[in-house]
Amino acid sequence: MPAQPSSPDELPAEPVAGLPADLLEAREGTGATFPATLAAYARRPRALDQAATWWSSPDPVTRLVGLELSAVLAGPASPLPLDERERARHQVAAHASEASTGDDADLRWAAAKALGAAGPSAAALDVLTILIGDDDPDVRWQAVACLPLALGSDPGIVQGDPGRRAVETLVSATADSDDDVVEQAVFALAEQLEPDGVAATPAVADALVRRLDSPGETGGLAALGLARRDDPRAEPAVRAALEKTLADPEFELDEPWLSAADLLPGLATLAADVRRAGATLGDS
């Protein structure tokens, strides 16, 4: 059996079936070693074919690396020319679609992440919509986190049918049974999407209102999303949170509440009082 290549520079031009030892070792490590090693492989000839070969492997780790390499080749830092980059984006979507209906939760999670890393794509939105309904909350969270990335910022897409479907999916995710998924969905609606057009519907505002009492940052993010949409239901909730902070020094106010207050002129004095009180406590 021929020896596996030991570095990206020694990788044969023809795709190889197994993972080279250095790539496997880097993936099992920590820090930036694996992304740097994967980027080096992305610069090799026929890297996209290599990614497809690894994806076709029966070994789960090899398939994961193939998907991750395809995502690097499709993403903004890709060394490929634009036409080849589009081919890589289609490859990511096809492989992620296959993974989305499989039994491997790690692979489904990686599929969602790869779709976000690969850049805007209508096909990616379709697959992420499936993954947001996954049984595994970690997969659902990753899919929600990557949905705005797959949507992109092109007004023709964001304000068209893809944008409407993405917003409807995020609104549904604000009612998820997992708190982390809910927070990520509220964050997407509150901060990642522009508060106009398809993201400024009554359904969006009502979904945010239902999360004003949520724990952690979720309530503050919901208030911020409402304030950005000039919804009058934001001010009473933000006022109550600020007043509670002044009345109870043990109460920890999450930053989104103050960000929301900054958008509400009637709360400028109260927000300043909260900030002064926080500075005083920090100095004591």
Side-chain angles (χ1 to χ4, degrees), residues 10-25:
E10 298 172 25
L11 185 65
E14 291 297 318
V16 295
L19 287 181
D22 69 312
L23 191 54
L24 182 59
E25 182 179 351

Side-chain angles (χ1 to χ4, degrees), residues 240-276:
L242 298 182
E243 290 176 343
K244 183 176 181 180
T245 303
L246 290 174
D248 180 5
E250 299 298 319
F251 178 71
E252 294 186 8
L253 186 72
D254 290 301
E255 184 61 31
W257 288 106
L258 282 170
S259 298
D262 291 338
L263 300 178
L264 302 169
L267 298 182
T269 300
L270 187 56
D273 290 343
V274 169
R275 286 190 167 99
R276 277 194 297 272

Side-chain angles (χ1 to χ4, degrees), residues 211-225:
R211 286 300 172 182
L212 285 171
D213 294 329
S214 295
E217 289 199 355
T218 304
L221 287 168
L224 177 58

Side-chain angles (χ1 to χ4, degrees), residues 45-127:
R46 298 192 63 188
L48 192 56
D49 292 335
Q50 179 64 79
T53 297
W54 285 338
W55 171 257
S56 66
S57 169
D59 175 61
V61 173
T62 304
R63 300 189 80 201
L64 277 170
V65 173
L67 183 58
E68 290 164 334
L69 179 56
S70 292
V72 170
L73 292 164
S78 173
L80 297 178
L82 289 178
D83 58 337
E84 282 293 290
R85 198 177 302 180
E86 187 62 25
R87 179 187 159 212
R89 194 169 289 126
H90 285 298
Q91 181 163 297
V92 171
H95 294 170
S97 178
E98 185 180 339
S100 69
T101 57
D103 295 332
D104 190 333
D106 289 339
L107 198 56
R108 299 196 304 274
W109 184 93
K113 185 178 180 182
L115 290 167
S121 162
L125 289 173
D126 291 339
V127 181

Side-chain angles (χ1 to χ4, degrees), residues 102-246:
D103 295 332
D104 190 333
D106 289 339
L107 198 56
R108 299 196 304 274
W109 184 93
K113 185 178 180 182
L115 290 167
S121 162
L125 289 173
D126 291 339
V127 181
L128 287 169
T129 299
I130 294 172
L131 291 170
I132 286 174
D134 199 272
D135 290 339
D136 190 309
D138 290 337
V139 175
R140 297 200 302 275
W141 180 91
Q142 187 65 259
V144 168
C146 290
L147 192 67
L149 303 177
L151 179 62
S153 58
D154 185 317
I157 295 175
V158 172
Q159 298 301 334
D161 184 62
R164 279 191 292 272
R165 290 190 293 115
V167 169
E168 289 171 359
T169 301
L170 290 170
V171 166
S172 296
T174 65
D176 196 273
S177 59
D178 184 86
D179 289 344
D180 291 334
V181 175
V182 170
E183 181 177 311
Q184 191 62 39
V186 172
F187 171 71
L189 293 171
E191 293 210 56
Q192 290 183 285
L193 300 185
E194 290 300 316
D196 54 20
V198 299
T201 64
V204 172
D206 290 345
L208 294 173
V209 168
R210 286 192 290 271
R211 286 300 172 182
L212 285 171
D213 294 329
S214 295
E217 289 199 355
T218 304
L221 287 168
L224 177 58
L226 290 169
R228 293 184 70 214
R229 290 164 174 79
D230 296 321
D231 192 296
R233 292 172 289 184
E235 183 162 342
V238 177
R239 182 182 297 276
L242 298 182
E243 290 176 343
K244 183 176 181 180
T245 303
L246 290 174

